[in-house]
């Protein structure tokens, strides 16, 4: 659960690097929350029966507010994932390319980050650089 909530703790932190685990666990958390909220909407509105317009509108507003609440941490964790690949955070703008942009970003989010420190900070898998000690002393 810690990995799922870490991007919320680093709400608007666009600096540093994030592991794949942090990104995908946060994505899973957002998906599970959305599914749970949709299940509540379907149960309370009677699966779309008539007379539930006000309740549906209320939940639509709740969905919108929830989306706005996670928008900044979602962008921030994606920027940090690009940083982990030693790429600029501006690559997030690839999402705006119709059809292929989201697919390109999806592939980048699946790829492993660079090993060791890069220009955006230490390796999040090995922040102390323990695995690189052999390189230092050789």
């Amino acid at each position: 659960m810690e990995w799922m909530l870490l991007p919320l703790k680093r709400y608007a932190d666009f600096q540093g690097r994030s592991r794949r685990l942090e990104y995908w666990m946060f994505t899973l958390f957002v998906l599970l929350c959305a599914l749970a909220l949709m299940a509540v909407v379907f149960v309370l509105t009677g699966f779309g029966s008539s007379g539930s317009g006000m309740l549906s509108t209320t939940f639509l507003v709740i969905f919108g507010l929830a989306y706005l609440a996670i928008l900044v941490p979602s962008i921030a964790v994606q920027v940090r994932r690009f940083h982990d690949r030693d790429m600029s955070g501006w690559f997030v703008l690839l999402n705006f390319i119709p059809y292929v942009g989201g697919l390109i970003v999806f592939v980048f989010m699946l790829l492993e980050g660079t090993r060791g420190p890069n220009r955006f900070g230490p390796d999040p898998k090995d922040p102390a650089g323990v695995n690189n000690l052999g390189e230092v002393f050789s």
Side-chain angles (χ1 to χ4, degrees):
M1 191 71 176
E2 178 183 337
W3 288 106
M4 291 179 170
L5 299 177
L6 187 58
L8 294 175
K9 292 177 185 173
R10 297 174 69 183
Y11 191 84
D13 181 10
F14 293 88
Q15 305 296 315
R17 298 166 64 174
S18 287
R19 297 174 58 177
R20 283 182 294 183
L21 181 65
E22 179 182 344
Y23 176 80
W24 288 110
M25 291 303 284
F26 180 67
T27 302
L28 177 65
F29 173 71
V30 170
L31 178 69
L32 291 175
C33 288
L35 289 175
L37 194 55
M38 285 183 357
V40 168
V41 169
F42 283 130
V43 168
L44 292 179
T45 60
F47 298 97
S49 63
S50 62
S52 60
M54 183 63 174
L55 193 58
S56 296
T57 304
T58 302
F59 278 107
L60 188 61
V61 169
I62 291 171
F63 270 122
L65 293 174
Y67 175 76
L68 288 176
I70 63 159
L71 182 64
V72 172
S74 296
I75 294 170
V77 74
Q78 202 170 64
V79 165
R80 291 192 308 269
R81 264 310 288 143
F82 277 116
H83 287 176
D84 193 37
R85 301 256 328 120
D86 203 14
M87 301 169 72
S88 170
W90 289 104
F91 276 90
V92 168
L93 297 177
L94 288 172
N95 284 308
F96 291 112
I97 298 174
Y99 306 113
V100 297
L103 182 61
I104 293 168
V105 171
F106 176 74
V107 170
F108 278 131
M109 296 299 108
L110 289 174
L111 297 174
E112 187 176 2
T114 56
R115 294 186 186 265
N118 66 20
R119 62 186 166 140
F120 297 104
D123 188 350
K125 285 186 176 180
D126 185 25
V130 175
N131 290 334
N132 297 329
L133 287 179
E135 297 171 6
V136 173
F137 293 112
S138 58

